[in-house]
């Protein structure tokens, strides 16, 4: 907890303490912590002298500002129609088999979280998936096994 | 002079000041356009679209609440397109709305229901989505119930809490069809920074935010032959209650209210105004004691300015957001709680009634009073001092339930003891009133002369400006107060917590130096309280305030220290202001609370 306090303070020193600073600060927390806890939000509210409900509102508005604990690697599989038609369902099944979790869950070792996401803008190269900031396109079940295997072994 | 613009609405020409909205222009020529998210006290949100109208030359319908009137505009408010659009808007809202009107507290008082009824919506156009939603109801607060299944997401509450109260206990969370009005982490209202002021309740167009009502509990007590049920009524109820019972805003209904309470079956009909006068005695003495300790004894532990403590919304605000200033708060309980503590001690003794059998009910313009009554600090009589706190609105419901034709009631008086009051107590109901009442008494105490204002009306502290300052020079003081000779007593008044925030920041930054500051949690003071009849608008607040000052001027006694029952209670029971007994029963302490 004291680390979060320190982190929020550092981020506020860097981005400022205005309303406009809120988003970059929240993004900074996600980068470091993978998610924004209620404690972190309280700290942001205190640091920026604003209401915690407003911080919560902003955090819950943006899909990429997670408010629940996440694994080290957050996998987001595109769920929109083009990717769906190009075989997203098999990909999802493969991911669930590999990681032994369902959508919305995190592996026991806290390494992976599996999520679905709205359009990533890669419809022409679907199915598409994100792992943290890394984009993977035209994925197949085989490719996914390879990618995840690599993450499991080498990262 | 402001520029005017000319436009035509439904074929009628109208000239309005530049900046007026189409909605405002239509109102001027008595054309009613329905609204939901719009509220006169708040910034324009333009999110519900129920106020759409057709503008000639424009491709889309325009939201009349957000569209400024402009020169040559031609508007139609009642075309096929407009009516269809409005109907769609309402039907869409209803498709996500748990419309169980007959079981709803807002039944017959609901803006959404009114619209649905006007549009004669009998066959719904869209699928009912309510079964697919996981709506939550939060009933944990002693003051407010929040029911998401009735929320139309107009955000009046969010704007209220932010703009008027600077609290933002409520915000908008999530997006799209998951969007909801939420506290921090969807915690119960009871557990967040909410002050219980009820301003959001007063503006919510539906049953999504309502006061927690204690109507049935009061009836139960009244029907119980073993209970002695007493009732106290706050200053601001007597100039607003009539509005909920078919009367004009600004009607003074003190006598009818007393009569109706007696008809409801209360055993004794008493007046919070009595303890408002008592508050002045205690708080005035506390102020003078603080001044002496600070100015003469140079006691640095004494905190100035002293803040008033009658408004429980303000108390909770400062407990959450400025806990470092708790020592600046007057230790005086609010009039409601002074009354409660005395009811089960002084009153019980004098009447020879077992305090355990007394049920003490209060009628308040306020939802925060419910929370205040339930505070653990408020049990100095050995019992819960005030058992049940009702709003003005709840009393109106009870009067209707009892089949009483309010308007035709003949005026009656309050019972005794604890029913006598002065004009100084009545003005507690308007912003600046406590200050004015305190000055009337303190000035006279110090100088032996009446305040140097015509008719005792200290107009500098009256009005609706958010923050007002006034200073009174103390000259030719009585020997006992010689340390105050030549002192300029600096005071300030704020109403609505956004203005309170402004004063607090000025004090914090060292920019403002006051001796005494009055803060009322609600805009306009108690007359605009969260428990007052709906709607409350700037115009209605003005009318209620005027009524308060009219009531004051009509009183025989206008100064708290002249209240004969106050004099009597000091003689027979309390001893002196700030005395031992007062400390025990009439003063309290505050607790720091978390910021979220
Ligand atoms: S909020 Fe209004 S429309 Fe909804 S159930 Fe209550 S009365 Fe009916
Ligand atoms: S709670 Fe009431 S005021 Fe707030 S958004 Fe919902 S309907 Fe509107
Ligand atoms: S009661 Fe007052 S403080 Fe609480 S949410 Fe409503 S407006 Fe905000
Ligand atoms: S009242 Fe105009 S958009 Fe809601």
């Amino acid at each position: 907890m004291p680390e979060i306090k320190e982190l929020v303070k550092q981020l506020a020193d860097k981005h400022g303490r205005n309303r406009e600073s809120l988003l970059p600060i929240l993004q900074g927390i996600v980068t470091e912590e993978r998610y924004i806890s209620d404690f972190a939000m309280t700290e942001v509210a205190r640091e920026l002298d604003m209401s915690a409900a407003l911080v919560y509102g902003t955090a819950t508005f943006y899909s990429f500002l997670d408010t629940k604990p996440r694994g080290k690697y957050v996998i987001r599989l595109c769920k929109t129609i083009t990717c769906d038609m190009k075989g997203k369902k098999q990909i999802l099944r493969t991911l669930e088999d590999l990681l032994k979790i369902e959508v919305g869950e995190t592996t026991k070792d806290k390494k992976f979280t599996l999520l679905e996401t709205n359009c990533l803008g890669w419809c022409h190269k679907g199915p598409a998936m994100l792992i943290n900031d890394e984009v993977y396109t035209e994925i197949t079940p085989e490719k996914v096994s390879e990618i995840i295997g690599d993450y499991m072994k080498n990262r | 002079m402001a520029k005017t613009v000319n436009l035509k609405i439904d074929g009628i020409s109208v000239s309005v000041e530049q900046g007026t909205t189409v909605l405002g222009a239509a109102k001027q020529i008595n054309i009613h356009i329905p609204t939901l998210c719009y509220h006169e006290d708040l910034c324009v949100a333009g999110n519900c679209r129920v106020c759409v109208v057709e503008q000639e030359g424009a491709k889309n319908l325009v939201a009349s609440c957000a569209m400024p009137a402009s020169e040559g505009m031609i508007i139609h408010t009642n075309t096929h397109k407009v009516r269809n659009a409005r109907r769609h808007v309402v039907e869409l809202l209803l498709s996500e709305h748990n419309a169980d009107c007959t079981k709803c507290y807002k039944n017959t008082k609901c803006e959404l229901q009114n619209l649905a009824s006007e549009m004669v919506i009998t066959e719904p156009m869209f699928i009912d989505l309510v079964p697919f939603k996981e709506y939550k109801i939060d009933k944990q607060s002693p003051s407010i119930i929040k029911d998401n299944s009735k929320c139309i997401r107009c955000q009046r509450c969010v704007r209220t809490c932010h703009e008027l109260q600077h609290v933002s206990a409520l915000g908008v969370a999530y997006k799209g069809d998951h969007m909801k009005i939420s506290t921090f982490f969807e915690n119960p209202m009871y557990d967040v920074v909410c002050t219980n002021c009820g301003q959001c309740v007063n503006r919510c167009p539906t049953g999504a935010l309502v006061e927690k009502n204690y109507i049935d509990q009061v009836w139960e007590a009244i029907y119980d032959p073993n209970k002695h049920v007493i009732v106290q009524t706050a200053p601001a109820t007597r100039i607003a209650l009539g509005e909920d019972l078919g009367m004009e805003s600004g009607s003074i209904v003190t006598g009818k209210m007393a009569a109706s309470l007696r008809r409801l079956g209360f055993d004794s009909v008493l007046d919070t105004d009595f303890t408002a006068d008592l508050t002045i005695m205690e708080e005035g003495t506390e102020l003078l004691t603080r001044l002496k300790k600070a100015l003469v004894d140079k006691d640095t532990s004494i905190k100035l300015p002293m803040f008033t403590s009658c408004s429980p919304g303000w108390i909770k605000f400062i407990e959450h957001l400025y806990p470092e200033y708790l020592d600046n708060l007057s230790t005086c309980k609010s009039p409601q709680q002074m009354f409660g503590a005395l009811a089960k001690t002084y009153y019980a003794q004098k009447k020879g009634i077992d305090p355990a059998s007394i049920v003490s009910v209060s009628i308040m313009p306020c939802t925060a009073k419910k929370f205040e009554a339930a505070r653990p600090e408020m049990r100095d009589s050995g019992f819960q001092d005030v058992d049940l706190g009702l709003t003005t609105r709840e009393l109106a419901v009870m009067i209707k339930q009892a089949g009483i034709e309010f308007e035709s009631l003949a005026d009656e008086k309050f019972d005794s003891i604890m029913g006598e009051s002065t004009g100084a107590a009545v003005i507690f109901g308007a912003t600046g009133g406590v200050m004015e009442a305190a000055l009337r008494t303190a000035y006279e105490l110090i100088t032996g002369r009446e305040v140097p204002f015509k008719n005792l009306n200290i107009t500098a502290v009256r009005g609706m400006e958010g923050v007002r300052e006034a200073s009174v020079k103390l000259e030719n003081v009585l020997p006992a107060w010689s340390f105050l000779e030549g002192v300029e007593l600096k005071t300030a008044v704020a109403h609505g917590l956004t203005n309170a925030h402004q004063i607090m920041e000025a004090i914090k930054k060292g920019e403002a130096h006051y001796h005494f500051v009055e803060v009322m949690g609600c805009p306009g003071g108690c007359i605009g309280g969260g428990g007052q009849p709906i709607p409350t608008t700037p115009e209605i607040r003005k009318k209620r305030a005027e009524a308060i000052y009219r009531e004051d001027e009509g009183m025989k006694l206008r100064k708290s220290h002249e209240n004969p029952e106050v004099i009597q209670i000091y003689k027979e029971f309390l001893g002196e202001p700030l005395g031992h007994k007062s400390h025990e029963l009439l003063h309290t302490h505050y607790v720091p609370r978390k910021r979220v």
Side-chain angles (χ1 to χ4, degrees), chain B residues 312-457:
Chain B
W314 152 241
I315 297 291
K316 196 146 179 280
F317 179 82
I318 191 168
E319 286 180 331
H320 280 292
L321 297 171
Y322 295 95
E324 68 275 25
Y325 283 93
L326 290 183
D327 287 340
N328 291 64
L329 279 172
S330 159
T331 60
C332 286
K333 286 181 185 170
S334 71
Q336 164 178 278
Q337 292 307 140
M338 284 197 184
F339 191 101
L342 291 172
K344 294 189 183 179
T345 53
Y346 173 65
Y347 175 89
Q349 277 170 31
K350 292 257 314 179
K351 298 272 174 180
I353 298 168
D354 175 8
S357 73
I358 294 182
V359 177
S360 176
V361 178
S362 68
I363 311 294
M364 295 284 140
C366 183
T367 51
K369 289 279 170 197
K370 295 171 187 282
F371 170 84
E372 184 186 43
R375 283 180 76 122
E377 296 90 350
M378 300 300 169
R379 299 173 151 266
D380 288 331
S381 65
F383 305 89
Q384 179 164 330
D385 294 337
V386 173
D387 295 290
L388 298 161
L390 262 54
T391 56
T392 313
R393 294 192 289 271
E394 288 162 81
L395 173 59
V397 171
M398 288 187 73
I399 292 170
K400 285 187 205 156
Q401 286 177 333
I404 296 169
E405 232 229 40
F406 188 74
E407 260 189 270
S408 65
L409 288 175
D411 286 355
E412 289 180 21
K413 292 215 167 337
F414 289 102
D415 288 315
S416 167
I417 49 174
M418 296 175 47
E420 188 73 61
S421 69
T422 72
V426 172
I427 57 174
F428 262 61
T431 166
V434 175
M435 181 61 69
E436 180 165 348
L439 289 178
R440 283 184 195 170
T441 286
Y443 188 90
E444 198 165 319
L445 199 67
I446 298 166
T447 65
R449 304 182 305 274
E450 285 193 337
V451 279
F453 296 94
K454 186 159 171 253
N455 267 340
L456 300 177
N457 297 337

Side-chain angles (χ1 to χ4, degrees), chain B residues 88-106:
Chain B
H88 272 89
V89 165
V90 173
E91 292 243 17
L92 280 168
L93 288 175
L94 287 174
S95 73
E96 295 183 320
H97 185 89
N98 172 24
D100 60 350
C101 297
T102 54
K103 286 183 254 161
C104 181
Y105 188 57
K106 271 299 198 61

Side-chain angles (χ1 to χ4, degrees), chain A residues 19 36-39 41-42 45-46 49-54 56-58 60-63 67, chain B residues 158 162 166-176 182-186 193 501 505 595-596:
Chain A
R19 273 189 90 126
I36 314 166
S37 64
D38 55 348
F39 179 76
M41 286 188 214
T42 319
R46 189 191 309 280
D49 191 22
M50 70 190 293
S51 133
L54 296 185
Y56 179 69
T58 308
T60 53
F61 183 85
Y62 293 99
S63 313
T67 55
Chain B
V158 174
H162 179 69
H166 193 87
V167 175
S168 287
L170 295 172
V172 177
Y174 299 94
K175 63 175 167 239
S182 169
T183 55
F184 180 58
F185 256 87
E186 293 174 60
V193 62
H501 168 255
E505 289 299 309
R595 218 184 147 277
V596 287

